[in-house]
């Protein structure tokens, strides 16, 4: 009799372990596509990318394509937490045909707009960005266009190791403290976002 009861209970225990509500699977089922990646909708025009960074003390490349309406902006959060806080963020904003860009980390804000004056903000924009968060402060490099093998530290539109002094800063504003990345849109459309290994890796 005891063997019979155990025989009946085992399938029920297995079913109980494998079934039921799984919040991780539920979140994955709600992921939304954006170009080559996907994100979770955080509300208020914010998105958390489903693919995280390997570690806080690492380097990564972020490629984004987007369109801005006049007065609109896209903020890219890198090395951030799941609420898009405490990261290294880039804000791209359009004012007429001009592109304005600010970077912020650890409470410090820098304006890099003077290096982007040749870019027409009325068109679709694509940037490739290295953030070496394993350096202190983070070493940042930005290129115009999609990631390609020709990109290196000599053909950036912005390189914190070389351009900071010209902009009257000592270096980039700081570091992010998380392993996530995401975005915030105001009158803007993100058409592609891709995470990959750093384009210009160095020791």
């Amino acid at each position: 009799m005891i063997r019979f009861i155990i025989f009946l209970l085992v399938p029920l225990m297995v079913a109980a372990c494998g079934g039921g509500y799984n919040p991780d699977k539920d979140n994955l089922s709600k992921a939304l596509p954006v170009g080559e990646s996907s994100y979770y909708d955080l509300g208020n025009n914010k998105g958390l990318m489903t693919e995280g960074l390997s570690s806080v003390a690492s380097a990564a490349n972020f490629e984004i394509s987007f369109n801005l309406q006049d007065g609109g902006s896209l903020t890219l959060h890198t090395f951030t937490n799941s609420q898009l806080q405490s990261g290294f963020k880039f804000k791209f904003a359009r004012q007429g045909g001009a592109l304005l860009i600010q970077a912020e980390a650890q409470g410090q804000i820098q304006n890099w707009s003077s290096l982007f004056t040749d870019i027409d903000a009325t068109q679709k924009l694509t940037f490739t960005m290295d953030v070496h968060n394993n350096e202190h402060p983070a070493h940042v490099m930005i290129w115009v266009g999609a990631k390609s093998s020709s990109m290196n530290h000599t053909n950036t539109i912005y390189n914190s190791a070389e351009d900071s002094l010209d902009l009257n800063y000592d270096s980039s504003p700081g570091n992010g403290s998380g392993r996530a990345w995401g975005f915030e849109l105001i009158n803007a459309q993100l058409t592609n976002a891709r995470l990959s290994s750093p384009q210009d890796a160095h020791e």
Side-chain angles (χ1 to χ4, degrees), residues 55-57 78-81 85-89 104-106 131-138 173-179:
S55 71
V56 174
T78 69
F79 291 95
T80 186
N81 64 23
Q85 299 171 341
S86 303
F88 193 115
K89 64 182 182 181
E104 180 178 351
Q106 296 180 284
V131 180
H132 298 185
N133 204 54
N134 52 342
E135 299 180 45
H136 298 277
N175 294 83
S177 59
R179 293 179 51 238

Side-chain angles (χ1 to χ4, degrees), residues 148-167:
S148 72
S149 58
S150 64
M151 292 175 172
N152 58 59
H153 68 277
T154 68
N155 54 22
T156 57
I157 189 170
Y158 171 82
N159 183 343
S160 62
E162 300 175 3
D163 297 317
S164 293
L165 292 179
D166 294 336
L167 296 171

Side-chain angles (χ1 to χ4, degrees), residues 7 9 15 26-27 48 53 75 118 120 127 139 142 158 174 197:
F7 178 77
L9 287 176
D26 190 51
N27 281 337
L48 175 69
L53 297 147
T75 302
D118 290 337
D120 183 359
F127 292 103
H139 182 191
I142 303 178
Y158 171 82
S197 58

Side-chain angles (χ1 to χ4, degrees), residues 42-143:
L42 299 181
N44 298 316
N45 298 312
K46 296 180 180 180
L48 175 69
M49 306 306 294
T50 57
E51 183 181 6
L53 297 147
S54 59
S55 71
V56 174
S58 66
N61 182 270
F62 306 88
E63 180 188 326
I64 55 171
S65 295
F66 57 99
N67 295 91
L68 299 173
Q69 297 179 32
D70 195 8
S73 67
L74 176 146
T75 302
L76 179 70
H77 299 261
T78 69
F79 291 95
T80 186
N81 64 23
S82 60
Q83 298 302 312
L84 305 185
Q85 299 171 341
S86 303
F88 193 115
K89 64 182 182 181
F90 305 84
K91 182 177 181 179
F92 300 88
R94 176 183 163 190
Q95 190 174 80
L99 179 68
L100 310 178
I101 175 171
Q102 287 185 341
E104 180 178 351
Q106 296 180 284
Q108 300 297 315
I109 299 175
Q110 295 184 0
N111 189 331
W112 301 344
S113 302
S114 61
L115 298 178
F116 293 77
T117 55
D118 290 337
I119 294 176
D120 183 359
T122 67
Q123 303 298 310
K124 179 180 178 180
L125 303 171
T126 298
F127 292 103
T128 296
M129 294 172 284
D130 264 15
V131 180
H132 298 185
N133 204 54
N134 52 342
E135 299 180 45
H136 298 277
H139 182 191
V140 177
M141 286 174 277
I142 303 178
W143 297 268

